[in-house]
Amino acid sequence: MDDVATYPAGLILTGRRVLVVGGGHVAQRRVPQLIAVGADVHVVSPEVTPAIEGMVGSGEVSWHRRGFEEADVDGAWYVIAATDDRAVNERVSVAAEERRVFCVRSDDGTRATAWTPAVGRHAGVTVAVLGQREPQRSARVRDEILEGLREGTIVARHQRDRSPGVVLVGGGPGDPELMTIAGRKALVEADVVVADRLAPRELLGELPPDVELIDVAKLPRGRSAQQEEINRIIVARALEGKRVVRFKGGDNFVFGRGYEEVLACREAGVPVTVVPGLTSPVAVPAVAGIPVTHRGVAHEFTVVSGHLPPGHPESQVNWAALGSLSGTVVLMMAVENAPAIAAALVAGGRPPQTPVAVVCDGTMPGERTVLATLETLASRLAEEAVRPPAIIVVGEVVRVAHPAHFS
Ligand code: SAH
């Protein structure tokens, strides 16, 4: 058949009746999109999938539990014929044609008066791709466009949100694929990016050339002075009218001093928003194949900073209490103090044979896992010359993940 010239249009179906004939997997894929645009969806089918039944139960669609009747098309603005019975679909399209209602068909596009494009949305733009009945190719084209928009290789400049302010963006544990879509969008829209050492660095290479990049790792050392300087920079740039992204590894509020930056912005009257990130104490063990909870094994997990050793006057951690728990303990910033921490957990009551996994450079090309027990942790860290960043997982979940090693 010759190519069909379709005329694309964005239908506004809010509050308008849409008829879906059929309740199987095709209908199940179309109905949520119709619900999302506020259509008055009527499903006609003797049976529906459990997913559609759920949408009926929540009142999002109306279900007419019977076979199709021509009169079902009356009053509809749009019809989807999605049964697995060609004869029924044919009756639906004939009834729609007679009533001059556009009708798509799941089984035979040549007998339809409308085609469903491959659809995706990004930041207020709808991408709809129609091919010559090659759904996989259309979907691939759509995916390419969406990826370009998300990654910023397709930059629609006028779309950028240039309103001044600060966005705290969590970059996830390191692999750029593990950053959120909202975080990527914020990066693309930034005038200034203030980045830490652990933020996914590859993404910084993708920034448009006019974006100012401030590498906080290069600021003079001394933790509190450094943080004050960061606060000063983000506030000053925002007050100059810039859109500032404060870009960190993991989540900005998990040992990231993110809330100090929120407070500094508030004090200066600078608008501040937060895009959460996948935090490393959960994501790094997950990628390394270690669950932080497991039914019947660990009903809690505790995330603890090990940057101060047990007994340090400024420590706020009750190591003895942690030693008396039986769940998972996830230690961060703990490589240096790990020997003292392991000893404190054993002193608090943890068996010395408790399994331990040290995941170094999680989600990054050099990722590796070192296994130990609380008793052997100090020597294993030395043998393997473990350097930060590392996540140390303590507890029986490590045995679940590595049964052979701890048998
Ligand atoms: N805000 C971050 C944590 C910052 S504290 C988050 O939410 O993940 C820095 C510590 O995080 C490191 O010392 C290390 O313990 C841990 N960490 C962060 N990224 C890591 C990674 N990719 N692999 C292993 N540990 C990581």
Side-chain angles (χ1 to χ4, degrees), residues 198 249-251 254-256 279-282 284 302-308 319 329-337 341 388-393:
L198 284 179
D251 183 279
V254 179
F255 304 126
T279 189
S280 64
V282 178
V284 166
T302 313
V303 177
V304 188
S305 168
H307 76 286
L308 296 177
W319 293 103
V329 176
V330 183
L331 300 166
M332 305 175 65
M333 298 184 276
V335 172
E336 198 183 325
N337 295 320
I341 290 170
I391 291 285
I392 305 180
V393 185

Side-chain angles (χ1 to χ4, degrees), residues 56-390:
V56 173
S58 58
E60 293 165 298
V61 302
S62 309
W63 177 20
H64 307 269
R65 191 174 197 158
R66 51 169 172 74
F68 169 72
E69 293 159 13
E70 273 64 14
D72 289 331
V73 180
D74 292 338
W77 289 74
Y78 195 64
V79 176
I80 297 176
T83 77
D84 52 12
D85 182 335
R86 193 183 160 82
V88 175
N89 288 349
E90 184 62 25
R91 277 175 56 212
V92 176
S93 42
V94 168
E97 178 89 35
E98 280 169 9
R99 290 163 179 79
R100 302 193 179 192
V101 183
F102 285 105
C103 176
V104 295
R105 269 180 73 158
S106 60
D107 56 341
D108 184 357
T110 65
R111 300 285 305 142
T113 49
W115 291 351
T116 308
V119 177
R121 285 178 231 281
H122 176 75
V125 175
T126 300
V127 176
V129 178
L130 281 166
Q132 289 298 326
R133 296 192 312 285
E134 283 181 286
Q136 281 165 8
R137 178 155 183 254
S138 305
R140 271 199 294 275
V141 174
R142 174 209 49 201
D143 292 344
E144 289 288 321
I145 295 172
L146 286 177
E147 186 158 320
L149 288 169
R150 282 178 191 141
E151 298 198 336
T153 48
I154 301 174
V155 183
R157 285 273 159 180
H158 63 279
Q159 251 196 82
R160 283 173 71 170
D161 179 353
R162 293 297 208 131
S163 60
V166 172
V167 192
L168 304 187
V169 175
D175 178 349
E177 298 266 306
L178 294 177
M179 184 169 162
T180 65
I181 292 166
R184 288 238 173 184
K185 176 166 173 265
L187 271 186
V188 168
E189 290 172 343
D191 297 306
V192 182
V193 174
V194 181
D196 270 19
R197 203 168 35 84
L198 284 179
R201 310 225 113 209
E202 282 140 277
L203 294 175
L204 301 177
E206 294 172 7
L207 293 175
D210 56 331
V211 175
E212 183 189 6
L213 177 60
I214 300 173
D215 189 346
V216 171
K218 293 196 182 128
L219 290 180
R221 298 296 289 172
R223 273 180 76 83
S224 59
Q226 204 177 350
Q227 186 60 48
E228 274 161 34
E229 178 63 2
I230 295 166
N231 295 353
R232 196 193 62 71
I233 291 171
I234 62 176
V235 165
R237 291 294 196 283
L239 290 176
E240 285 167 19
K242 301 280 172 56
R243 193 159 177 84
V244 182
V245 163
R246 176 68 177 109
F247 190 40
K248 290 190 73 92
D251 183 279
N252 298 47
F253 287 170
V254 179
F255 304 126
R257 305 191 70 167
Y259 209 74
E260 292 170 50
E261 294 165 7
V262 169
L263 293 174
C265 289
R266 289 231 183 103
E267 236 163 71
V270 166
V272 54
T273 51
V274 177
V275 177
L278 271 183
T279 189
S280 64
V282 178
V284 166
V287 169
I290 303 166
V292 290
T293 70
H294 189 68
R295 198 169 72 96
V297 174
H299 288 184
E300 83 227 355
F301 68 100
T302 313
V303 177
V304 188
S305 168
H307 76 286
L308 296 177
H312 189 283
E314 282 167 36
S315 172
Q316 302 196 327
V317 179
N318 186 338
W319 293 103
L322 280 178
S324 71
L325 297 176
S326 59
T328 309
V329 176
V330 183
L331 300 166
M332 305 175 65
M333 298 184 276
V335 172
E336 198 183 325
N337 295 320
I341 290 170
L345 291 175
V346 171
R350 289 260 170 166
Q353 279 73 42
T354 304
V356 178
V358 183
V359 187
C360 313
D361 296 317
T363 81
M364 290 183 280
E367 178 181 316
R368 65 178 174 138
T369 301
V370 173
L371 297 174
T373 63
L374 283 177
E375 203 168 29
T376 65
L377 182 60
S379 58
R380 294 288 295 135
L381 289 175
E383 275 161 32
E384 299 284 341
V386 169
R387 298 268 163 278

